Amino acid sequence: MSKKKVSALDMPDVPMGQLPEHLNLQRTRLRCKADAPIHYSGAYASMGVDNSVDIKNFNSNFKVEIVRLTEDEIEFDMIGIDAALANAFRRILIAEVPTMAIKKILMVNNTSVIPDELLAHRLGLIPLDADPRVFEYLSENDEPNERNTIVYKLDVSCKKGSPRITVKSDHLKWLPNGSELEIATLDKSSKVKSYTSFSCSQNSLPEISKKPLGVKHDDIILAKLGPGQEIELEAHAVKGIGKDHAKWSPVAATWYRMLPEVVLSEEVKGQDAEKLVKKCPLNVFDIEDLGNGEKKAVVANSRACTFCGECIRDVSEGLVKLRRVEDHFIFTIESVGALSPDELFIEAVKILEEKCHRQIVQLS
């Protein structure tokens, strides 16, 4: 007797808006096979499934769970969003969250083997320990002042007959009163003017004077000076974003991945269990002792899975199911500047909120 192929549309007992388990897995999971991942992007609208964004559903389903938080790195889960929103946060963190970085170098003397341009480039990439939220942007029409500019001085020399000196980032000294270099003028009767016009010391500003505006890392090598060589310069730092130059990017790296889901469709015992555990170098699987000398393989840490595919090679098809949850993202942020990684994410949320507000205003 021939068997009739029945689709989900022919099932009268399936309520509108709900799917059978195997179809719901296709809709919400990305599956990985030995040759390539399989993804069904159908909207399932004919079955009454609405994939449009709903604010009420988003508010009830969206969650953020912090997994690990250190001074320079955070790993957290964002649950209940799609890849577009996760990627928006990633792009904002890289390119639109502002930081302070050295932009202008006033070179007084450089007799080292490092060319002026290369030394200036190295100085620009040094992370500064300065909160960008208390500073203003410096536009082309603005004058440098205590609210939009930070001035550093580098003055290191190696005397003749002395051993070589390694110039590091801790040689940069903050000048809270502004530039100490004078602008040369042809009119000697005019008043001497420096390159920055601070009306007051940055030490006197309550929002800035909480701590010295130094560098984040003291051991960054800038140059090496031999006997008789010296470097004297001033470095002016301003506020900017990574979209203009990578030196203003506040993160070393930020990335996300969908939550891995590893499932064993049947029990794997004995030597087969030991072989499966040895296949995975990340300890996704473990051995459970059943007693009486029997052992079986269990999924111990599916979160560590990187989809290398070793566990599904040379095993019966369907024994190990590798999937990714499409609305659950593991997000990692590595900070390099003055702001902690959790503060960076909060700033990214504020920027995205401003973007949404501007769009609403333009459409209304």
Side-chain angles (χ1 to χ4, degrees), residues 118-327:
L118 180 56
L119 181 58
H121 180 69
R122 289 186 178 183
L123 289 167
L125 294 175
I126 295 176
L128 303 179
D129 194 10
D131 191 341
R133 295 172 294 187
V134 301
F135 288 92
E136 301 171 355
Y137 286 100
L138 176 65
S139 65
E140 295 180 356
N141 300 323
D142 293 334
E143 289 290 332
N145 57 55
E146 67 278 1
R147 297 284 183 177
N148 57 32
T149 304
I150 306 175
V151 181
Y152 296 94
K153 181 179 181 180
L154 180 63
D155 189 0
V156 185
S157 61
C158 182
K159 297 181 180 180
K160 293 183 178 180
S162 300
R164 292 168 60 89
I165 294 177
T166 300
V167 182
K168 297 185 178 181
S169 52
D170 61 348
H171 286 96
L172 277 171
K173 303 303 179 184
W174 172 43
L175 300 180
N177 297 317
S179 176
E180 296 179 349
L181 299 179
E182 299 175 352
I183 299 177
T185 58
L186 296 176
D187 186 6
K188 296 183 179 179
S189 61
S190 62
K191 187 178 180 181
V192 176
K193 185 181 179 182
S194 66
Y195 281 89
T196 56
S197 54
F198 284 10
S199 59
C200 64
S201 173
Q202 289 178 328
N203 277 324
S204 63
L205 300 176
E207 63 273 20
I208 299 178
S209 61
K210 295 180 181 179
K211 62 179 180 179
L213 303 179
V215 296
K216 187 66 176 180
H217 307 286
D218 296 334
D219 56 350
I220 301 175
I221 298 177
L222 301 176
K224 291 188 177 182
L225 300 181
Q229 297 178 345
E230 67 173 318
I231 297 176
E232 183 182 357
L233 57 85
E234 269 191 5
H236 293 206
V238 298
K239 187 175 180 178
I241 57 177
K243 188 185 298 184
D244 296 331
H245 195 283
K247 64 186 177 183
W248 279 298
S249 183
V251 293
T254 178
W255 70 94
Y256 62 87
R257 60 190 179 101
M258 285 184 283
L259 177 70
E261 188 177 71
V262 182
V263 179
L264 294 176
S265 59
E266 60 184 72
E267 288 188 347
V268 183
K269 297 182 178 180
Q271 293 183 352
D272 292 336
E274 294 179 356
K275 289 180 181 178
L276 181 61
V277 172
K278 291 179 180 179
K279 277 178 174 289
C280 181
L282 299 174
N283 299 322
V284 172
F285 303 98
D286 198 0
I287 296 291
E288 180 180 334
D289 191 356
L290 300 177
N292 298 324
E294 291 190 11
K295 299 178 180 179
K296 74 172 183 178
V298 293
V299 179
N301 185 17
S302 61
R303 187 185 183 91
C305 178
T306 60
F307 277 49
C308 65
E310 289 296 327
C311 60
I312 58 178
R313 293 189 180 97
D314 302 325
V315 298
S316 58
E317 186 176 357
L319 177 63
V320 181
K321 297 180 180 180
L322 300 182
R323 301 193 288 248
R324 289 187 185 272
V325 184
E326 295 192 13
D327 66 341

Side-chain angles (χ1 to χ4, degrees), residues 36-73:
I38 299 176
H39 174 54
Y40 293 90
S41 57
Y44 298 92
S46 60
M47 300 182 186
V49 177
D50 186 7
N51 283 333
S52 61
V53 178
D54 184 79
I55 297 299
K56 291 183 179 179
N57 291 336
F58 177 82
N59 290 338
S60 60
N61 296 330
F62 179 70
K63 292 187 295 183
V64 175
E65 298 177 354
I66 298 177
V67 178
R68 185 180 73 256
L69 176 60
T70 63
E71 182 181 358
D72 299 320
E73 185 176 347

